[in-house]
Amino acid sequence: MQVKETVQAQKLYRDEGFFISPEPLIQPELVERAVAGMDAVRAGNYDTGIPPRPSRWSPGDDPNMLCKIEKPHIASRAIMELVSHPALGAMAAEITGASTVQVWWVQLLFKPPSLEGEQPRTNIGWHQDYNYWGAWEEDSELFTAWVALSDVTPETGPMNFVAGSHQWGLSTESDFQSQEYEALREQIRATHGQVWREVPAILPPGAASFHHKLTFHGSGPNHSSQPRRSFAVHMRTENARPRDGLRQGLTAFIDDPSYCPIIYGDPEALS
């Protein structure tokens, strides 16, 4: 980005708690290979010989449920190539002003089309990521790049950000698993009493959005005929440290670049 564009992007991220980069950062050929890698991991085929971390969804589970698989990049070379792409690191650094960016966790998210007349099963409830990231010190600079591998349109159940909600503080209402999408929204709105403005992340394949650890976000059902494919790539800057210096849970692998690649800057800044 040009200097003026970088300043504008940083201001948007700082003021709104997110930035949507509408132009693809990842070339189509790699997106295609990562899609094939996603399908292979969902089928239980791991070309690295290493399975993902234990996940809520496993190969053989209901294909009409939301599929969320933890650290799929250690199981697929193509997925690793995508989530560690230098363009993601460079954009993340520009938006946040970071000198170093590391990928410390990745989640595969496959949202199948909703079946007509069925109860919601693929919603992602409104939540703040940091509610699930207690392994990190509270003041750690943590954020997520959400990378689209399919055409994310209003019909596919796009992720929706609540503008400015990263300034509301850590909330107790986060519930990723909730299927009560509208009810949870109203509960959070009533609790915080703030202006609620939703912005959807409408993205072509290979594009990405970036959001702060405290930004409320969620997504509704997929009303299209095709699955919505994405990866949530969780990142940290040099201003992030594990709680009490421990390597456990979400921070267990941060010293191993084969699990947690540094995709921008100087690795020594993270030590």
Side-chain angles (χ1 to χ4, degrees):
M1 289 190 289
Q2 300 294 323
V3 172
K4 183 177 180 180
E5 292 174 328
T6 297
V7 171
Q8 291 174 336
Q10 289 179 346
K11 185 176 189 305
L12 275 171
Y13 180 79
R14 183 175 63 250
D15 294 349
E16 304 280 68
F18 62 90
F19 177 76
I20 299 170
S21 181
E23 298 300 321
L25 299 173
I26 310 297
Q27 61 269 33
E29 184 273 335
L30 177 52
V31 170
E32 290 178 9
R33 287 194 288 112
V35 166
M38 174 182 282
D39 288 342
V41 169
R42 293 182 71 245
N45 300 320
Y46 314 129
D47 64 16
T48 65
I50 303 171
R53 300 298 296 167
S55 306
R56 291 184 64 90
W57 193 97
S58 299
D61 284 354
D62 187 345
N64 295 312
M65 297 285 289
L66 176 72
C67 171
K68 181 162 79 80
I69 297 177
E70 309 292 337
K71 293 187 83 71
H73 61 302
I74 64 175
S76 165
R77 294 184 179 89
I79 296 175
M80 173 62 86
E81 185 179 352
L82 183 138
V83 303
S84 59
H85 198 285
L88 282 179
M91 180 64 76
E94 282 197 79
I95 293 166
T96 63
S99 64
T100 303
V101 177
Q102 181 183 31
V103 173
W104 56 271
W105 203 270
V106 177
Q107 293 167 323
L108 179 159
L109 295 164
F110 181 97
K111 185 191 286 267
S114 294
L115 300 176
E116 188 174 353
E118 75 167 0
Q119 292 296 313
R121 294 196 293 165
T122 64
N123 290 350
I124 294 176
W126 296 100
H127 67 283
Q128 296 169 306
D129 290 335
Y130 189 64
N131 261 291
Y132 304 96
W133 292 355
W136 292 95
E137 293 286 0
E138 187 173 349
D139 62 352
S140 289
E141 190 171 27
L142 307 168
F143 58 98
T144 296
W146 193 81
V147 185
L149 268 70
S150 60
D151 195 16
V152 181
T153 68
E155 293 73 36
T156 61
M159 181 162 57
N160 293 291
F161 298 115
V162 181
S165 57
H166 65 306
Q167 301 176 23
W168 301 354
L170 185 62
S171 177
T172 60
E173 289 90 3
S174 281
D175 190 353
F176 182 99
Q177 301 299 331
S178 175
Q179 297 304 299
E180 303 300 324
Y181 191 66
E182 290 80 12
L184 183 57
R185 173 200 287 134
E186 294 310 310
Q187 178 183 336
I188 296 168
R189 290 178 67 173
T191 298
H192 291 277
Q194 301 286 341
V195 173
W196 186 280
R197 179 168 62 87
E198 295 178 26
V199 180
I202 304 302
L203 299 166
S209 62
F210 299 80
H211 64 269
H212 188 278
K213 67 182 181 183
L214 292 180
T215 301
F216 269 109
H217 56 289
S219 66
N222 178 1
H223 292 301
S224 76
S225 61
Q226 299 297 319
R228 194 207 72 180
R229 298 172 179 266
S230 65
F231 291 106
V233 185
H234 304 308
M235 302 179 176
R236 70 158 170 158
T237 75
E238 68 279 5
N239 299 315
R241 295 291 181 270
R243 192 175 296 278
D244 300 323
L246 298 176
R247 268 62 172 169
Q248 61 184 20
L250 296 178
T251 61
F253 305 101
I254 61 173
D255 299 320
D256 184 347
S258 67
Y259 277 59
C260 300
I262 296 168
I263 61 174
Y264 185 87
D266 181 11
E268 294 300 318
L270 299 175
S271 60

